[in-house]
Amino acid sequence: MTILCEPASGAGQLFPALGGEAGVAESLAEASRMLGADPHESLVVVGSTINLDEALRFTEALRLERPAVGVVLLRDVLDIAVLSRALRSGVREVVARDDLASLVDACARSRALSAQVTGVPQPRFTERRQGQVVTVFAAKGGCGKTTLAVNLAAVLAVGGERSVCLVDLDLAFGDVGICLRAEPVRTIVHGLGMLGHIDVAGASSLLTPCRPGLSALLAPVEPGDAERVPASMVSELLEVLPTMFDYVVVDTPSAFSEHVLAAMDASHHHVLLTTPDVPALKNLRVTLDMLDLLSYAHDIRSVVLNRSDSKVGLTMDDIDRVVRSDIRAHVPSSRDVPISVNKGNPIVLDLPRHPVSEAIARFAREHVLAEPAVVAAKSKRWFR
């Protein structure tokens, strides 16, 4: 497992490039202790917040004591003078902190060099533990699906203890970027040139860091770009992203498109959202019947009732008669939710003790974090 020397508040954004797994050291002294406890460790990534002179002295000492251990240095700005000093000290590569794709490549090259020095093959990313894919779906618009997906991803990533990727699969009208105030410099459409051979480095290059531990794969922003993304690309990305993150949360459009079915196929958990109104409940019933028809497992479904306290003339008995399935979470309505959306800060982070936040956090704790990582039985589909 790679050692990442960086304060925990900034470490989460770097986890994807490290395969989703790394031991975090707050200081170089702690990194030294971790190296001493693991004679097989072969890579230390030194973050951009670590003092340059201290990082170079650490590397010089390490070159004599553990020559098989590589050091990759991150800096906010690449500078020729810094690069020259670093290489003279024994640093294997210097990478810009925000260039996750280059960091992936640098780590791979360093591990390969360490393997040649020691004669011990280094593990590939594909040999790491697979993360879970959680797809959030509602067959009717306006149920709060994107808000739930954003807040679910945020609460899973809170504290940077877990790495989470939020995928905006509403390719035509995605709002994840707006909800997180994330600038869509790179979106899913930029991966078209990699179709058929998307790897960790390629997937990393498409991501937008949003919060500690939380990255996003954003929807296209240009008209017509949504039509260019094939469902096979969704399948490919959802094979790679779980090797990089502990959890991949997928926000979907309100329709059973090929892209949505590709996400459902890859999912360990289907979160099905509804509200206490007849059209939404009817569409949920159709959704459940459709999932049955497609032979998805029942035990990976979670029905969530949003705005559950709305006084709209329906009782819980009325809702139960239509849904005919356990409702695993009741999320109350609140004007604070649209306020948090307008601020671009998920309510679970802005107001963690709010009843909405507590309902989402409880659902994540009891029904997502507790779920075994077993993919649903599903039919094979072929996409053109």
Side-chain angles (χ1 to χ4, degrees):
M1 183 172 65
T2 301
I3 295 174
L4 173 60
C5 188
E6 178 84 337
S9 58
Q13 296 181 15
L14 300 173
F15 281 156
L18 306 177
E21 294 183 9
V24 178
E26 296 273 345
S27 66
L28 291 168
E30 187 177 352
S32 295
R33 287 193 294 272
M34 293 173 68
L35 278 171
D38 186 357
H40 302 295
E41 183 55 71
S42 64
L43 178 62
V44 179
V45 176
V46 178
S48 59
T49 60
I50 304 299
N51 178 270
L52 178 62
D53 292 331
E54 293 179 6
L56 299 186
R57 285 196 294 270
F58 169 83
T59 306
E60 288 174 344
L62 193 61
R63 182 169 58 175
L64 298 175
E65 298 167 6
R66 297 271 295 272
V69 177
V71 174
V72 174
L73 180 66
L74 302 182
R75 295 290 96 179
D76 291 325
V77 178
L78 295 184
D79 179 89
I80 294 298
V82 171
L83 180 61
S84 299
R85 288 184 61 197
L87 295 180
R88 284 198 301 270
S89 299
V91 172
R92 289 186 178 170
E93 301 203 35
V94 183
V95 180
R97 188 189 190 282
D98 293 332
D99 192 349
L100 293 185
S102 294
L103 178 56
V104 171
D105 292 339
C107 290
R109 285 190 293 267
S110 182
R111 290 190 186 97
L113 181 56
S114 295
Q116 290 180 351
V117 172
T118 62
V120 178
Q122 298 298 306
R124 296 170 56 85
F125 282 122
T126 52
E127 294 169 349
R128 295 182 184 275
R129 180 175 60 84
Q130 292 282 309
Q132 293 192 43
V133 179
V134 180
T135 293
V136 181
F137 179 78
K140 179 181 177 296
C143 290
K145 172 178 48 57
T146 296
T147 300
L148 177 63
V150 168
N151 280 277
L152 179 59
V155 81
L156 288 171
V158 72
E161 296 178 5
R162 290 175 290 271
S163 58
V164 180
C165 180
L166 177 58
V167 177
D168 193 345
L169 206 57
D170 192 345
L171 301 176
F173 301 104
D175 289 329
V176 164
I178 291 173
C179 291
L180 291 171
R181 292 221 172 161
E183 188 68 26
V185 176
R186 303 281 289 174
T187 72
I188 190 172
V189 77
H190 290 94
L192 287 172
M194 299 180 279
L195 187 61
H197 53 271
I198 298 175
D199 57 12
V200 170
S204 295
S205 71
L206 304 177
L207 302 179
T208 301
C210 300
R211 303 285 190 282
L214 176 61
S215 298
L217 179 57
L218 300 177
V221 294
E222 296 296 329
D225 276 352
E227 315 301 326
R228 299 170 57 200
V229 180
S232 58
M233 185 175 180
V234 176
S235 299
E236 197 172 352
L237 283 165
L238 292 181
E239 287 182 4
V240 175
L241 291 173
T243 71
M244 303 163 58
F245 294 90
D246 295 319
Y247 288 90
V248 178
V249 178
V250 184
D251 182 33
T252 57
S254 301
F256 271 116
S257 65
E258 287 188 332
H259 300 77
V260 171
L261 291 174
M264 293 286 194
D265 281 353
S267 294
H268 302 80
H269 200 140
H270 299 156
V271 179
L272 309 175
L273 187 66
T274 189
T275 49
D277 58 87
V278 172
L281 292 169
K282 183 269 293 181
N283 284 6
L284 171 63
R285 185 63 257 163
V286 171
T287 297
L288 293 169
D289 292 341
M290 177 68 75
L291 295 179
D292 285 343
L293 185 64
L294 295 173
S295 300
Y296 289 106
H298 284 233
D299 58 0
I300 66 165
R301 298 177 194 169
S302 288
V303 175
V304 174
L305 182 64
N306 195 23
R307 305 175 196 135
S308 59
D309 56 349
S310 300
K311 306 301 181 184
V312 290
L314 291 177
T315 67
M316 280 308 303
D317 286 341
D318 295 328
I319 294 171
D320 288 338
R321 275 195 298 271
V322 175
V323 175
R324 302 198 303 274
S325 180
D326 289 340
I327 296 175
R328 292 190 169 181
H330 293 75
V331 181
S333 57
S334 172
R335 62 187 295 272
D336 294 321
V337 174
I339 291 173
S340 74
V341 171
N342 291 336
K343 289 167 62 178
N345 199 30
I347 192 170
V348 295
L349 302 181
D350 204 24
L351 299 169
R353 296 189 180 278
H354 193 280
V356 171
S357 303
E358 291 182 340
I360 295 172
R362 184 166 52 250
F363 170 71
R365 185 172 60 252
E366 295 178 358
H367 299 292
V368 178
L369 294 173
E371 286 290 330
V374 177
V375 179
K378 54 188 180 291
S379 58
K380 291 285 186 180
R381 298 187 180 87
W382 297 93
F383 300 107
R384 293 186 175 88

